[in-house]
Amino acid sequence: MILTGINENALSKIQFYPNPVKDQFYIDNIQEESDYKLLNISGALVESGSFIKGANSISMSNLESGIYFLQLQSKSNFRTIRIVKQ
C-alpha cells in the first residue's frame, strides 16, 4: 500500500536547549515561520511572538523558576514543549 499526500510535521524536527534553562532558551531547525506562546504552569500567557525559519531564542532570565509551556503554531502544525526554568 502506498500513501501519498502525507505531510511530515515540520515542528517535529526542531531542536531546543538547554532544558532546564537559566537564561536563554534556544529553538533551532524551525522549518517554517511559526507563532509562539509561552505559558506558565497556570496557563497564563507570559510572552508571545513569532519565530522565523532557522534558529531563534527566548530570554527567560527575568522569569521565576518553575515549569513553562512553549506552544508553537505553524500554518499546518502545532507543538507544545515543556520547559523547566531554574
Side-chain angles (χ1 to χ4, degrees):
M1 181 175 175
I2 299 174
L3 298 175
T4 60
I6 297 175
N7 294 331
E8 186 174 347
N9 185 341
L11 295 177
S12 68
K13 294 185 178 257
I14 65 169
Q15 300 168 340
F16 48 90
Y17 57 92
N19 200 3
V21 60
K22 288 184 181 179
D23 298 315
Q24 203 72 15
F25 187 72
Y26 298 94
I27 303 96
D28 292 345
N29 202 28
I30 292 183
Q31 302 294 310
E32 58 186 357
E33 290 184 16
S34 304
D35 293 327
Y36 75 87
K37 292 180 184 177
L38 183 64
L39 309 171
N40 66 18
I41 191 73
S42 300
L45 181 65
V46 175
E47 181 179 332
S48 65
S50 298
F51 289 141
I52 60 171
K53 291 169 81 171
N56 296 267
S57 66
I58 297 176
S59 175
M60 298 187 71
S61 60
N62 61 337
L63 301 178
E64 292 185 25
S65 297
I67 297 175
Y68 294 84
F69 297 96
L70 180 64
Q71 294 180 340
L72 301 172
Q73 176 75 52
S74 68
K75 291 179 185 176
S76 57
N77 298 299
F78 181 84
R79 182 168 180 189
T80 300
I81 300 167
R82 181 179 172 267
I83 304 170
V84 177
K85 167 67 166 87
Q86 292 182 326

